Structure formats: structure tokens, C-alpha cells
Amino acid sequence: MAMTETMISALTTLLVTVDPPGLAPLFLGLTQGMTREQRQQVAIRGSVMGFAILTVFALFGATILGALGISMGAFRIAGGLMLFAIAFEMIFEKRNERKEKTTGDAITKDHIHNLAVFPLAIPLIAGPGAISATVLISGTMDGWIGKLQLIAVIGVVLGLVLVSLYLAERLNKFLGVTGRALLTRLLGVLLAALSVQFVVDGVKSAFAG
């Protein structure tokens, strides 16, 4: 039961931080003027790279923290506060503005063939929030079985990202401005609650040590 709750929490946290539906309109802006085949190629490459990045942090994030002398309790507190800041942006519609600015800057600076790497894989899919969440969740998973389960969760989330990018045009029309705003706010409230839980767990861990 405890493992099931951990998996559900991991899936929910990553879904909210990666936000597959929210990527759809940004992806359309990024790939403006491309054919459907070209868009699909960018979507596949970006999703695979995003999966690879998050998997690396799932496997070695705790090791990197240990090498830097950072306890998991301290990282949970810092990561929780960071996720709360993202939740605040989502609730008050600041996050998409920042992402759109990143997207616009990238189009002028990078060749169109590199869009899958930047800004799609980094920072739109595997951004600071998703990376922090991955490392935080990894710290709650025991052993290699737990890590493999987390990688499976990342695979599910990135699979949903790929589906969202494939259906970007339809999804954008279906949700509309009101639907996207409502979904973003609801996910923001959920992420705020999860981030507070990370902070609480971090404080308990820090004082227990």
C-alpha cells in the first residue's frame, strides 16, 4: 500500500511539473511553419531527450548531492520551496508567460533542427522543477527496484508528453484559453500541496538526523 501511494505521488508530482497539456501551445509556437512529419520528429527527439535527462537525475541525483555534502532533508526543503514557487506561478498565470518568453528567445538564437534539444527537452520538458521533483522522489524510493519504478513513472509521463505534442493542435483547440487557464490553476493548487509536503518531510528528516 505504501509503495502504491509513493508511485501515485511520484506520478502526480511529475505530471504537474512537466505539464503535458501546457506544452501543446508552446510546441505549436516553436514548430510554426513545419510540416506534420517535421513536428513529429521534433516531438520524438525532444521527448526521448527529456526522458534521458530525468532518468540520469533519478539514478544519480542523490549521489551528486552526497558528493556536494547536501543532505536529502535539505534538498527536500529547497526543492519543496522551488516547487511551491512554480505552483504560485501556475495559479497566477506567470509560468506560461515565462515559458513563452524562453520559447521566443530560442527561436531567434537556435537553428530549427536543434529545437528538440533547446528549448523543448531543456527547459520546457526537463526543467528545473521536473529535475528537482525527480531527485526528491528518487530519495523516497528504496533500492534499485524503487529506481526502476521511478524510471517507469518517468516513461509514462514522457509518453503522455509525446501524445500531447502529437495532438498539440487538436488539444489546443479543445481546451481553449479558458480550459487551459482552469487546468493550470487546478494543477498549481495540487502542486502547492505536494511541495508543502516535501518541505514538511525535509524538516522532519533534518531534525531526525
mmCIF file of all heavy atoms in Angstrom, residues 3 19 22 38 72 87 89 130 137 145 148 171 180 189 201 209:
data_model
loop_
_atom_site.group_PDB
_atom_site.id
_atom_site.type_symbol
_atom_site.label_atom_id
_atom_site.label_comp_id
_atom_site.label_asym_id
_atom_site.label_seq_id
_atom_site.Cartn_x
_atom_site.Cartn_y
_atom_site.Cartn_z
ATOM 1 N N MET A 3 3.913 1.559 -1.082
ATOM 2 C CA MET A 3 4.581 1.698 -2.375
ATOM 3 C C MET A 3 3.625 2.257 -3.419
ATOM 4 O O MET A 3 4.011 3.084 -4.249
ATOM 5 C CB MET A 3 5.131 0.337 -2.825
ATOM 6 C CG MET A 3 5.891 0.393 -4.146
ATOM 7 S SD MET A 3 7.225 1.617 -4.151
ATOM 8 C CE MET A 3 8.400 0.834 -3.036
ATOM 9 N N ASP A 19 3.724 19.020 -16.961
ATOM 10 C CA ASP A 19 2.536 19.651 -17.538
ATOM 11 C C ASP A 19 2.389 19.382 -19.043
ATOM 12 O O ASP A 19 2.513 20.303 -19.864
ATOM 13 C CB ASP A 19 2.587 21.165 -17.272
ATOM 14 C CG ASP A 19 1.315 21.886 -17.717
ATOM 15 O OD1 ASP A 19 0.283 21.216 -17.883
ATOM 16 O OD2 ASP A 19 1.377 23.117 -17.902
ATOM 17 N N GLY A 22 0.025 21.691 -21.072
ATOM 18 C CA GLY A 22 0.547 23.057 -21.165
ATOM 19 C C GLY A 22 1.643 23.209 -22.197
ATOM 20 O O GLY A 22 1.923 24.319 -22.671
ATOM 21 N N GLN A 38 7.797 16.829 -39.769
ATOM 22 C CA GLN A 38 8.879 17.516 -39.064
ATOM 23 C C GLN A 38 8.522 17.735 -37.595
ATOM 24 O O GLN A 38 9.357 17.571 -36.711
ATOM 25 C CB GLN A 38 9.182 18.853 -39.744
ATOM 26 C CG GLN A 38 9.875 18.719 -41.086
ATOM 27 C CD GLN A 38 9.971 20.043 -41.827
ATOM 28 O OE1 GLN A 38 9.106 20.910 -41.707
ATOM 29 N NE2 GLN A 38 11.034 20.205 -42.603
ATOM 30 N N MET A 72 19.656 14.880 1.998
ATOM 31 C CA MET A 72 18.378 14.767 1.309
ATOM 32 C C MET A 72 17.316 15.624 1.983
ATOM 33 O O MET A 72 16.440 16.187 1.321
ATOM 34 C CB MET A 72 17.934 13.292 1.265
ATOM 35 C CG MET A 72 16.671 13.049 0.437
ATOM 36 S SD MET A 72 16.719 13.705 -1.253
ATOM 37 C CE MET A 72 17.927 12.625 -2.007
ATOM 38 N N ALA A 87 4.306 26.465 -8.401
ATOM 39 C CA ALA A 87 2.858 26.377 -8.178
ATOM 40 C C ALA A 87 2.240 27.772 -8.108
ATOM 41 O O ALA A 87 1.167 28.023 -8.668
ATOM 42 C CB ALA A 87 2.578 25.613 -6.879
ATOM 43 N N GLU A 89 3.355 30.464 -9.551
ATOM 44 C CA GLU A 89 3.341 30.992 -10.920
ATOM 45 C C GLU A 89 2.179 30.403 -11.720
ATOM 46 O O GLU A 89 1.548 31.095 -12.516
ATOM 47 C CB GLU A 89 4.656 30.654 -11.634
ATOM 48 C CG GLU A 89 5.842 31.480 -11.161
ATOM 49 C CD GLU A 89 7.101 31.169 -11.958
ATOM 50 O OE1 GLU A 89 7.179 30.067 -12.543
ATOM 51 O OE2 GLU A 89 8.001 32.019 -11.993
ATOM 52 N N ALA A 130 10.949 19.903 -12.837
ATOM 53 C CA ALA A 130 10.884 18.457 -13.086
ATOM 54 C C ALA A 130 12.133 17.752 -12.575
ATOM 55 O O ALA A 130 12.050 16.665 -12.002
ATOM 56 C CB ALA A 130 10.705 18.199 -14.582
ATOM 57 N N ILE A 137 11.814 12.703 -5.444
ATOM 58 C CA ILE A 137 11.095 11.421 -5.456
ATOM 59 C C ILE A 137 12.076 10.259 -5.354
ATOM 60 O O ILE A 137 11.831 9.272 -4.661
ATOM 61 C CB ILE A 137 10.243 11.292 -6.737
ATOM 62 C CG1 ILE A 137 9.150 12.371 -6.750
ATOM 63 C CG2 ILE A 137 9.605 9.907 -6.821
ATOM 64 C CD1 ILE A 137 8.526 12.590 -8.114
ATOM 65 N N ILE A 145 15.021 -1.415 -7.181
ATOM 66 C CA ILE A 145 13.626 -1.651 -7.584
ATOM 67 C C ILE A 145 12.857 -0.339 -7.572
ATOM 68 O O ILE A 145 12.102 -0.031 -8.500
ATOM 69 C CB ILE A 145 12.959 -2.696 -6.658
ATOM 70 C CG1 ILE A 145 13.604 -4.065 -6.860
ATOM 71 C CG2 ILE A 145 11.451 -2.772 -6.928
ATOM 72 C CD1 ILE A 145 13.099 -5.140 -5.930
ATOM 73 N N LEU A 148 13.908 1.748 -10.543
ATOM 74 C CA LEU A 148 13.294 1.244 -11.769
ATOM 75 C C LEU A 148 11.822 1.647 -11.851
ATOM 76 O O LEU A 148 11.312 1.977 -12.930
ATOM 77 C CB LEU A 148 13.426 -0.276 -11.853
ATOM 78 C CG LEU A 148 14.841 -0.820 -12.108
ATOM 79 C CD1 LEU A 148 14.854 -2.337 -12.018
ATOM 80 C CD2 LEU A 148 15.362 -0.365 -13.474
ATOM 81 N N LEU A 171 -5.508 19.439 -29.218
ATOM 82 C CA LEU A 171 -5.592 19.691 -27.776
ATOM 83 C C LEU A 171 -5.730 21.174 -27.482
ATOM 84 O O LEU A 171 -6.517 21.586 -26.625
ATOM 85 C CB LEU A 171 -4.344 19.135 -27.084
ATOM 86 C CG LEU A 171 -4.351 19.082 -25.556
ATOM 87 C CD1 LEU A 171 -5.471 18.186 -25.045
ATOM 88 C CD2 LEU A 171 -3.009 18.579 -25.039
ATOM 89 N N ARG A 180 -7.413 25.983 -20.651
ATOM 90 C CA ARG A 180 -6.007 25.951 -20.259
ATOM 91 C C ARG A 180 -5.782 26.693 -18.945
ATOM 92 O O ARG A 180 -5.024 26.249 -18.085
ATOM 93 C CB ARG A 180 -5.120 26.567 -21.357
ATOM 94 C CG ARG A 180 -4.957 25.690 -22.574
ATOM 95 C CD ARG A 180 -3.756 26.118 -23.402
ATOM 96 N NE ARG A 180 -3.794 27.526 -23.746
ATOM 97 C CZ ARG A 180 -4.382 28.024 -24.831
ATOM 98 N NH1 ARG A 180 -5.004 27.220 -25.664
ATOM 99 N NH2 ARG A 180 -4.344 29.315 -25.086
ATOM 100 N N VAL A 189 -2.627 24.383 -7.668
ATOM 101 C CA VAL A 189 -3.056 24.149 -6.286
ATOM 102 C C VAL A 189 -2.569 22.784 -5.812
ATOM 103 O O VAL A 189 -2.075 22.627 -4.684
ATOM 104 C CB VAL A 189 -4.602 24.244 -6.170
ATOM 105 C CG1 VAL A 189 -5.070 23.790 -4.792
ATOM 106 C CG2 VAL A 189 -5.069 25.672 -6.438
ATOM 107 N N ASP A 201 8.396 16.932 5.066
ATOM 108 C CA ASP A 201 9.239 15.737 5.119
ATOM 109 C C ASP A 201 10.708 16.098 5.289
ATOM 110 O O ASP A 201 11.458 15.427 6.024
ATOM 111 C CB ASP A 201 9.059 14.889 3.857
ATOM 112 C CG ASP A 201 7.682 14.260 3.752
ATOM 113 O OD1 ASP A 201 6.985 14.218 4.802
ATOM 114 O OD2 ASP A 201 7.293 13.833 2.660
ATOM 115 N N GLY A 209 17.900 13.692 11.837
ATOM 116 C CA GLY A 209 19.335 13.420 11.712
ATOM 117 C C GLY A 209 20.132 14.177 12.750
ATOM 118 O O GLY A 209 21.254 13.862 13.028
#
